[in-house]
Amino acid sequence: MTDLKEIQKIADDFSRTPLNLKPFKKRSRKDVADGLRAVFWYHTVRHQLGEKSSYALEKRFDEKGSFKRNADGKLIYPHRWQKYSHGERVPIPSLVVNVEKECKGSARKLNHVLWEALRLEQPVCPHVEVWLRELNPDIQMVVFHIEHREFDVIYKREKIGLRLLGKLSDRASMDALACLTILFREAVELERFHDAFLLGREIHWMLLFLGIEFQRNGVGKELIKLYCDRIFPMLAWDEQCFFPERTDYVGASCFLNLSPFYHPAHKGKSLSWETRVRCMRRLSSTRGNWAVMFGLDIEYGPNPDSQDIPKKLLQEYERRKRIVERAKEAISLGISDVGFLFGRRPPPNTFFQR
């Protein structure tokens, strides 16, 4: 359960904290995803065990007597956990096993398939089926369906569509994000651009939903930046591309995650993650608020690298751009009426009051 004060504290931290990840040495074979998983693992362990510092964790899991005093009596130790907290070093397997004994589930967070899906050294297609099998059962039940053939059971993939994406969004989690990322990269490699477009938009919304939760574990801004720099640019279709840099992911994630607590039925209450996701999903859909649905959606349009852009495409982009700008204005004013987005009505009463 999460209360309003806790979310506000994380939101403030999300807005103010600069990028924390330190780069690996130039000769290192480590990827930036390794730094992210080390930081994420560190904060997972720290939160679950209730420790407040890297020093406390270093002392707690010191089995080799690494704490010593030099000739001047000054205490010296390797500062390994401080390096984990900045993503400068990845924990060795033996330490991960020892920590897992006290902090169940931490090893899976460190070795989660999401980190593999974020690496670009190799194509994803040869690994898709294996990686999807590593996800939680509830996600696998969405992605696969069972076919019985005589004495055998065959697992077949569901088709990419709004129904599948809606089910994954309802189960917003690290595993759902990993699933979307794997499917997105597969669709790009197979040149199924329509599927990739739908998956890319869903990844965008998933980052907005999960941004604060990743920030709780120290990698909110860094993970979003990695998606903007590495994942979204993979897709270019019909002279178009995504513009993730135009989204204020921090502000949008804070807005969406705080909104459920201001609902009249939820004021003063602690909310489960499932309740928060349900509220955020509704707010960002046609059943909820049109301004949020248009204003916080990922922007896309003519690819700057394309030379011959059809006139019709430019006209559609300009029209969509005006709606998005109007939607963002509506969010700032607290307006939910769809007519305002298309400039047909004066501003009605606010939809969201603090």
Side-chain angles (χ1 to χ4, degrees), residues 99-289:
V99 172
E100 179 69 15
K101 295 175 183 177
E102 293 190 44
C103 188
K104 300 297 182 184
S106 60
R108 184 175 187 270
K109 295 290 178 64
L110 177 69
N111 300 310
H112 200 280
V113 69
L114 174 64
W115 312 124
E116 287 296 328
L118 291 173
R119 303 173 193 273
L120 302 185
E121 295 94 349
Q122 54 184 341
V124 74
C125 284
H127 310 283
V128 170
E129 297 296 325
V130 175
W131 286 356
L132 291 177
R133 297 282 184 180
E134 294 183 25
L135 301 173
N136 281 335
D138 63 326
I139 302 297
Q140 291 192 46
M141 288 174 64
V142 172
V143 179
F144 295 101
H145 67 269
I146 298 175
E147 287 188 4
H148 295 274
R149 294 185 181 178
E150 297 181 353
F151 300 105
D152 200 5
V153 174
I154 298 175
Y155 289 84
K156 284 203 166 184
R157 295 259 299 276
E158 295 284 357
K159 291 183 179 179
I160 303 298
L162 297 180
R163 186 168 176 268
L164 171 67
L165 298 180
K167 288 184 177 181
L168 288 174
S169 191
D170 287 338
R171 294 160 176 77
S173 62
M174 189 175 184
D175 281 67
L177 178 61
C179 180
L180 289 169
T181 306
I182 293 167
L183 295 177
F184 173 80
R185 288 194 56 192
E186 178 191 41
V188 171
E189 290 176 13
L190 297 178
E191 297 186 354
R192 299 200 306 256
F193 297 128
H194 178 68
D195 289 350
F197 172 72
L198 294 176
L199 289 160
R201 291 182 78 176
E202 204 61 47
I203 288 173
H204 166 83
W205 283 104
M206 192 70 72
L207 289 174
L208 296 185
F209 294 162
L210 297 175
I212 274 191
E213 293 304 312
F214 277 109
Q215 183 61 26
R216 189 198 300 268
N217 286 290
V219 296
K221 285 185 177 179
E222 291 79 7
L223 183 66
I224 289 169
K225 185 178 186 302
L226 186 60
Y227 270 90
C228 292
D229 293 347
R230 179 178 288 188
I231 302 301
F232 290 124
M234 295 178 71
L235 177 62
W237 76 100
D238 299 334
E239 312 298 332
Q240 299 184 81
C241 65
F242 286 128
F243 300 126
E245 67 278 0
R246 297 181 185 177
T247 299
D248 176 12
Y249 279 95
V250 174
S253 181
C254 292
F255 170 79
L256 283 173
N257 278 272
L258 286 169
S259 294
F261 293 94
Y262 292 108
H263 189 283
H266 299 152
K267 283 191 174 181
K269 296 182 180 179
S270 293
L271 303 177
S272 66
W273 172 245
E274 291 75 16
T275 301
R276 286 167 52 199
V277 170
R278 189 163 57 250
C279 290
M280 290 189 287
R281 282 271 291 144
R282 185 177 182 85
L283 183 62
S284 58
S285 70
T286 53
R287 296 174 298 162
N289 188 276

Side-chain angles (χ1 to χ4, degrees), residues 16-22 86 218-223 225:
R16 298 172 184 173
T17 305
L19 290 172
N20 177 48
L21 204 63
K22 291 185 179 180
H86 292 300
V219 296
K221 285 185 177 179
E222 291 79 7
L223 183 66
K225 185 178 186 302

